[in-house]
Amino acid sequence: MKHVQVKKLVLLSSVATVVAIGMMVLAILAPRPLILVLAMSVGQGIAILSLALFLLAIVLDLQAGGAAYEAALEANREAVDDDRP
Amino acid sequence: MPIQSTEQLLRAVAVASAAAALIIILWYLIRRPPLGRLTKALLLMGLGVFPAVVSLTGNIAGFEYTLSRPFCGSCHVMGPYLRDAEDPKSTSLASIHSHNLKFGENSCYNCHADYKMFGAITTKLNGMRHLFMYITEYANTGPDGEGGPLIKLYKRHDLETHKITEAQFNSQMNGMCMQCHSTYAAVWVEKHGDFADDVRGSKQLCIDCHDNIHPLALSRRAGAAAAKEGSR
């Protein structure tokens, strides 16, 4: 169960970081007052939140003894076994 | 385009870091690899380290840009002020100072910023008020801000609303000029000798005599007096 949570958190963190970086890059390439203020407040807020989510995911994964990694490896092995004639 | 200033260097670093972060994140989103050590380390770079670099360098570059004249002129209300400042034939104080090689590119900030210890912070907080006023009162005004309320000069507005005393106001006004004009140069003393001490003590304002600052300011344009009466 935990490894599903971990994967979802990492996915959410990745998408949020893309949004945050998009806002910050927009402020660098087209520095208008409102865009700059939004990038420096909302953009950076999202970036901090997404990093916190990622760190939370890592902590959860470590608590489960790397369960997400093991589960993914197991699924990978099974898929390879199924493909064999 | 070659990098010619620290601001441009910071921008380049920020964009390169953003690209690196996006490559890592897109790799993860497309491939969805198992969360092994290597993946975690790469994601830490893509979700933590590179975005932190973008944020830091972007902040500094962004702050530097907010000091520049093009930034101040990016709100349409500032159009006439900007055009006058950039006009080589203009004899206004704004224009003369804008052509100064040392700080001409940041002339708006250099003359309007608070110059005390936390001047940069109070100036930027005031800038937030400017942005709020722009969005709420000037956004739909004419090409040069016509139709909007008269722009309130915040230090004078603070004086009129008794937030600062007249002595503080005078000190801030003359302090701005005296950052560069020491009032002790021989030519200056020759011209201002009779009242030099009054200027130094902020009893006499520089702008009382040198009043051709922004000739195209909203308050000096046709119809401004009527607008002021109407707003009372």
Side-chain angles (χ1 to χ4, degrees):
Chain A
M1 186 62 201
K2 244 178 186 174
H3 81 267
V4 178
Q5 261 184 329
V6 168
K7 289 195 93 170
K8 276 186 182 170
L9 280 175
V10 175
L11 185 67
L12 189 63
S13 169
S14 302
V15 174
T17 306
V18 170
V19 173
I21 287 179
M23 289 178 82
M24 288 191 274
V25 168
L26 185 65
I28 291 165
L29 298 179
R32 304 272 301 179
L34 195 57
I35 295 172
L36 264 174
V37 170
L38 283 176
M40 285 183 172
S41 52
V42 180
Q44 290 181 11
I46 294 173
I48 290 168
L49 188 69
S50 64
L51 179 61
L53 286 177
F54 174 67
L55 294 177
L56 177 67
I58 298 300
V59 169
L60 287 176
D61 190 48
L62 288 174
Q63 275 183 345
Y69 182 54
E70 294 299 334
L73 276 185
E74 189 59 35
N76 207 20
R77 262 185 233 120
E78 281 172 10
V80 171
D81 288 344
D82 288 346
D83 287 345
R84 279 186 185 152
Chain B
M1 198 174 77
I3 293 171
Q4 293 171 330
S5 66
T6 311
E7 189 192 325
Q8 288 174 344
L9 177 67
L10 290 170
R11 281 181 182 204
V13 171
V15 171
S17 300
L22 286 177
I23 287 169
I24 293 171
I25 294 168
L26 290 177
W27 164 77
Y28 176 76
L29 290 175
I30 293 167
R31 298 287 299 273
R32 299 287 182 90
L35 278 174
R37 279 185 189 169
L38 180 65
T39 308
K40 281 176 191 164
L42 279 173
L43 281 177
L44 184 64
M45 297 295 287
L47 301 176
V49 177
F50 286 129
V53 174
V54 177
S55 172
L56 188 67
T57 51
N59 269 357
I60 299 170
F63 179 77
E64 285 293 320
Y65 186 71
T66 63
L67 310 183
S68 71
R69 201 164 66 234
F71 176 80
C72 303
S74 64
C75 292
H76 73 281
V77 180
M78 290 293 116
Y81 300 78
L82 189 72
R83 288 197 295 276
D84 172 62
E86 291 177 345
D87 181 2
K89 291 176 184 166
S90 172
T91 55
S92 70
L93 278 190
S95 180
I96 291 167
H97 286 84
S98 293
H99 295 121
N100 185 309
L101 282 176
K102 184 72 179 170
F103 63 77
E105 276 304 304
N106 298 347
S107 56
C108 309
Y109 182 83
N110 282 319
C111 290
H112 286 281
D114 298 334
Y115 68 99
K116 285 184 276 189
M117 187 176 175
F118 298 108
I121 296 168
T122 55
T123 303
K124 289 299 153 200
L125 284 174
N126 243 338
M128 295 297 287
R129 276 166 68 186
H130 285 228
L131 185 61
F132 179 75
M133 291 282 286
Y134 179 77
I135 292 168
T136 55
E137 298 196 35
Y138 295 98
N140 297 318
T141 53
D144 285 335
E146 293 92 342
L150 289 178
I151 292 173
K152 291 169 184 166
L153 295 171
Y154 286 116
K155 286 191 183 66
R156 194 173 290 282
H157 184 64
D158 286 348
L159 173 68
E160 286 168 359
T161 53
H162 306 294
K163 285 179 184 164
I164 55 173
T165 63
E166 191 166 356
Q168 285 173 321
F169 173 78
N170 289 355
S171 165
Q172 287 178 13
M173 284 289 128
N174 277 16
M176 219 48 83
C177 305
M178 285 159 63
Q179 288 180 98
C180 297
H181 302 283
S182 72
T183 73
Y184 289 97
V187 177
W188 190 92
V189 172
E190 190 182 313
K191 285 184 182 172
H192 303 80
D194 294 342
F195 47 92
D197 286 337
D198 287 345
V199 174
R200 289 172 195 143
S202 299
K203 289 173 188 155
Q204 170 78 53
L205 288 184
C206 306
I207 56 171
D208 281 346
C209 300
H210 303 280
D211 60 350
N212 184 23
I213 306 165
H214 292 297
L216 297 175
L218 275 177
S219 57
R220 296 184 183 211
R221 282 185 244 160
K228 194 172 185 180
E229 284 299 316
S231 67
R232 277 182 184 165

